[in-house]
Amino acid sequence: QVQLVESGGGLVRPGGSLRLSCAASGSIFNFDTMGWYRQAPGKEREYVASTTKGGITQYDESVKGRFTISRDAAKNTMYLQMNSLKPEDTATYFCHGRIRVSLYWGQGTRVTVSS
């Protein structure tokens, strides 16, 4: 059964850094695409970043230059390195994957950026 499990969220000060992890059951390269989405309280879930099997990455404009998405095949894990965090980055972050027409979501990990 395909599973995605996020971890690494927590409380961080503005300007600080966090690294989120998304552990997959089986190889992460089983996924045609993987990515990160986030949802702040009272707001819709929004796109953050994504990566393809070929290593092509994309970022939402709001995080470009601050966040980096990557994969570690040996650990079957996708990461989101978040630097220069801002209060507006506060949200629950969700791992997402697609295998052909099947879509998969993790349970989410909370990130709070506050002084």
Side-chain angles (χ1 to χ4, degrees):
Q1 186 176 11
V2 176
Q3 274 194 305
L4 298 170
V5 181
E6 306 96 329
S7 63
L11 175 65
V12 64
R13 305 303 183 190
S17 298
L18 279 176
R19 188 180 71 167
L20 306 184
S21 299
C22 173
S25 57
S27 174
I28 59 173
F29 291 106
N30 288 337
F31 295 93
D32 298 297
T33 60
M34 296 189 75
W36 292 92
Y37 291 72
R38 66 186 181 186
Q39 187 168 21
K43 299 182 68 177
E44 296 182 351
R45 189 171 299 185
E46 65 180 10
Y47 168 84
V48 176
S50 61
T51 183
T52 69
K53 281 184 178 178
I56 300 172
T57 58
Q58 294 189 58
Y59 300 89
D60 183 75
E61 196 66 30
S62 66
V63 306
K64 192 175 297 182
R66 300 187 298 120
F67 291 10
T68 303
I69 190 170
S70 63
R71 300 183 184 193
D72 186 333
K75 292 183 168 63
N76 294 329
T77 300
M78 178 181 67
Y79 301 100
L80 184 68
Q81 178 67 47
M82 305 186 294
N83 299 326
S84 302
L85 283 162
K86 305 175 180 179
E88 49 263 47
D89 295 318
T90 296
T92 299
Y93 284 71
F94 296 90
C95 179
H96 176 265
R98 178 177 64 83
I99 303 175
R100 286 135 75 193
V101 298
S102 298
L103 306 179
Y104 303 91
W105 292 94
Q107 82 291 341
T109 185
R110 294 181 180 180
V111 173
T112 302
V113 184
S114 176
S115 60

